[in-house]
Amino acid sequence: MTDPAGLRLDLEKDPISAAVSMDLRLSVPYEREMNPAQIGELSSRLRLLSSRKSAQYEGMTRIYVISVTLESGEELFINGYSANEDIIDIQYKGTRYVPEDADFNSYVNLFCIGADTVRASEAG
């Protein structure tokens, strides 16, 4: 049984066409585009992600983000609000969702800071 309040993406019908990360925690903001292997890894993680609808972080200032564009032109934003990786939400179609997966949150945090790129880069 699925949770109707959680994030639902059909990445088979509407795959990710581009994704860019930005991290503002550094003295100079760090930005980079995801390569195809990294997009594949992100897609896999999003397909498996469990989340719940929640606006608990609305109004907070994001300090790192992965901006995702789907082939349809729809966008979603994976926002991090603290150096502590447990404060993350996803904005999609005007609704916010909080991931319930510490591994996903850690992945987003590490990717945005520029770490955890070897595995994805080697896959492509």
Side-chain angles (χ1 to χ4, degrees), residues 71-116:
E71 281 191 1
S72 66
E74 291 280 351
E75 292 184 308
L76 69 94
F77 301 93
I78 306 167
N79 305 302
Y81 300 100
S82 169
N84 183 346
E85 61 201 39
D86 63 344
I87 303 178
I88 288 179
D89 73 5
I90 298 172
Q91 288 177 265
Y92 180 61
K93 292 186 175 183
T95 304
R96 292 175 179 263
Y97 304 89
V98 174
E100 296 179 331
D101 180 348
D103 185 52
F104 179 81
N105 292 355
S106 179
Y107 159 77
V108 171
N109 176 49
L110 289 171
F111 190 87
C112 287
I113 199 99
D116 195 30

Side-chain angles (χ1 to χ4, degrees), residues 20-84:
V20 177
S21 69
M22 178 178 283
D23 196 309
L24 302 172
R25 294 174 284 186
L26 307 171
S27 58
V28 175
Y30 180 70
E31 182 177 335
R32 69 184 163 138
E33 290 184 38
M34 287 186 159
N35 66 40
Q38 293 162 339
I39 288 173
E41 181 176 0
L42 176 60
S43 295
S44 294
R45 289 176 180 269
L46 284 170
R47 283 186 186 101
L48 299 173
L49 185 64
S50 175
S51 65
R52 61 184 164 77
K53 193 181 216 182
S54 174
Q56 73 187 77
Y57 304 133
E58 189 169 6
M60 294 180 71
T61 300
R62 64 185 181 192
I63 58 173
Y64 56 99
V65 61
I66 297 177
S67 174
V68 177
T69 304
L70 305 176
E71 281 191 1
S72 66
E74 291 280 351
E75 292 184 308
L76 69 94
F77 301 93
I78 306 167
N79 305 302
Y81 300 100
S82 169
N84 183 346

